[in-house]
Amino acid sequence: MSKNQTIINSANQVFELEGQAILNLKSYINDDFVNVVDLIYKSKGRVIITGIGKSAIIGNKIVATLNSTGTPALFMHAAEAIHGDLGLILKDDIVICISKSGNTPEIKVLIPLIKSTNNTLIAITGNEDSFLGQYCDYFLNTFVEKEACPLNLAPTTSTTAQLAMGDALAVCLLEIRGFSSRDFAKYHPGGALGKKLYLRVVDISSQNNKPQVHPDTNIKEVILNISKNMLGVTAVIEDNKIVGIITDGDLRRMLTKTDNFINLTAKDIMGVSPKIINENAMAIKALELMEGNDISQLIVCKDDESYAGVVHIHDLIKEGII
């Protein structure tokens, strides 16, 4: 077998093992899982997630997912917890401890301390008979048959199962909270995902120049107007209404059709059915219109259909919408 084929086979085996491990979790979704979701949903406190080693890394990711979907969460490293960080846990907080074995020394020291504060302890582990499994209030089973690591040593399948269980918790909580795309945008205002959910056309077009000419404007002035505003387009406006559009493409087509254009005006070469978008529309809608019509600019209008400006595809790229 070639080296390349060996690599491909190894990768596929990892996907098969980890994929099957995730599917096997379906049989472990029971009353404890339902009760945990309900408990967190009704809680007045936060979710404190703890763990050590690779489980700690997974815990950090689950915390990030919970926070971004409306469930306040913090990570507390199990080793640091027994050296002062235990003070993170407040009266109404719920603690989730993640551990493959459930028997690591740090976990064994930490669990009695958590129990002494009367905080609810939830276990995410694959070993129900472990120290963690025996002393937790709720047990979320992430048992896996074997690791994807051929030595069955490096946490691979087990951490994938832990992550999937955390995602399941977050999604269930998101759904029963009625968490919406608008809520999501509040927690992601600086990222591309958030911008797709809250950025409006006016937020972009208002930063551009507002190129416009009259139907009777001569071609020389039209060319100067387009060049000056650097948007590759100008709107043709009459009585504050949009009656047409001229793009740099229209100018090139004009040059191929006539050698004498000095007496031409805007109305002679303008397009009379420009693609228009309301300034209050979402920016992602502007992108959809541009892509659907294979164009680079849109004329922007106000609610009364009067001219408001131009949005260019480069603006959307700059904002990270694309």
Side-chain angles (χ1 to χ4, degrees):
M1 185 183 297
S2 70
K3 177 183 175 182
N4 288 355
Q5 191 58 52
T6 299
I7 291 171
I8 291 170
N9 289 346
S10 294
N12 286 336
Q13 186 174 25
V14 170
F15 297 145
E16 289 171 7
L17 285 170
E18 296 196 355
Q20 190 57 54
I22 291 176
L23 291 175
N24 289 343
L25 293 180
K26 292 167 64 177
S27 63
Y28 302 138
I29 300 301
N30 53 21
D31 288 344
D32 266 18
F33 182 88
V34 173
N35 290 334
V36 165
V37 172
D38 190 57
L39 184 72
I40 295 173
Y41 172 65
K42 293 177 178 176
S43 172
K44 296 179 181 178
R46 307 158 302 174
V47 175
I48 308 295
I49 297 184
T50 189
I52 196 164
K54 303 299 185 296
S55 294
I57 297 171
I58 296 300
N60 269 299
K61 194 279 177 183
I62 296 173
V63 163
T65 302
L66 289 170
N67 279 324
S68 69
T69 53
T71 299
L74 287 173
F75 178 76
M76 177 183 70
H77 197 282
E80 298 298 329
I82 58 179
H83 293 287
D85 280 4
L86 202 61
L88 283 171
I89 304 175
L90 302 179
K91 175 173 173 262
D92 294 321
D93 290 343
I94 295 167
V95 181
I96 297 178
C97 185
I98 307 174
S99 173
K100 178 188 176 182
S101 70
N103 286 316
T104 57
E106 295 84 358
I107 297 298
K108 286 185 174 181
V109 173
L110 180 59
I111 288 173
L113 298 174
I114 294 173
K115 298 297 289 184
S116 70
T117 62
N118 294 319
N119 291 88
T120 300
L121 176 63
I122 299 162
I124 294 182
T125 180
N127 186 359
E128 192 168 8
D129 296 325
S130 65
F131 191 84
L132 175 59
Q134 292 298 304
Y135 285 93
C136 66
D137 296 300
Y138 296 96
F139 175 72
L140 302 183
N141 196 343
T142 52
F143 173 76
V144 297
E145 291 286 346
K146 62 177 293 187
E147 299 289 1
C149 165
L151 302 175
N152 198 31
L153 294 175
T156 44
T157 312
S158 58
T159 48
T160 300
Q162 293 168 354
L163 184 60
M165 186 64 75
D167 285 344
L169 283 175
V171 170
C172 289
L173 286 163
L174 177 155
E175 290 181 340
I176 64 174
R177 289 187 196 284
F179 196 81
S180 68
S181 59
R182 187 174 296 275
D183 296 319
F184 189 88
K186 285 195 303 183
Y187 294 107
H188 299 77
L193 288 174
K195 286 184 178 182
K196 288 181 180 180
L197 296 169
Y198 79 82
L199 197 68
R200 296 178 302 154
V201 169
V202 69
D203 298 324
I204 301 174
S205 63
S206 61
Q207 300 178 47
N208 289 335
N209 292 329
K210 192 176 172 182
Q212 63 184 85
V213 295
H214 188 271
D216 294 328
T217 302
N218 67 60
I219 291 300
K220 180 180 179 180
E221 290 300 321
V222 170
I223 294 172
L224 291 174
N225 184 275
I226 292 177
S227 299
K228 173 185 174 183
N229 291 289
M230 297 185 294
L231 290 168
V233 67
T234 188
V236 183
I237 307 298
E238 186 173 24
D239 298 327
N240 204 33
K241 294 297 181 182
I242 303 162
V243 295
I245 184 173
I246 300 174
T247 67
D248 49 10
D250 292 322
L251 294 177
R252 287 192 296 271
R253 284 185 287 276
M254 174 195 71
L255 292 174
T256 64
K257 293 178 180 179
T258 180
D259 293 326
N260 184 11
F261 53 84
I262 192 168
N263 294 320
L264 295 179
T265 61
K267 64 175 176 289
D268 296 318
I269 65 168
M270 71 181 186
V272 295
S273 299
K275 300 302 178 185
I276 299 174
I277 190 166
N278 186 278
E279 63 179 0
N280 293 312
M282 305 308 294
I284 188 66
K285 179 64 176 177
L287 174 61
E288 292 170 359
L289 278 173
M290 289 183 197
E291 291 181 334
N293 292 280
D294 196 25
I295 56 178
S296 300
Q297 311 99 336
L298 286 173
I299 299 296
V300 181
C301 71
K302 298 179 181 292
D303 288 337
D304 62 2
E305 299 186 355
S306 62
Y307 179 52
V310 172
V311 59
H312 196 286
I313 196 166
H314 290 162
D315 302 322
L316 303 178
I317 293 172
K318 183 171 68 174
E319 291 292 344
I321 298 297
I322 299 177

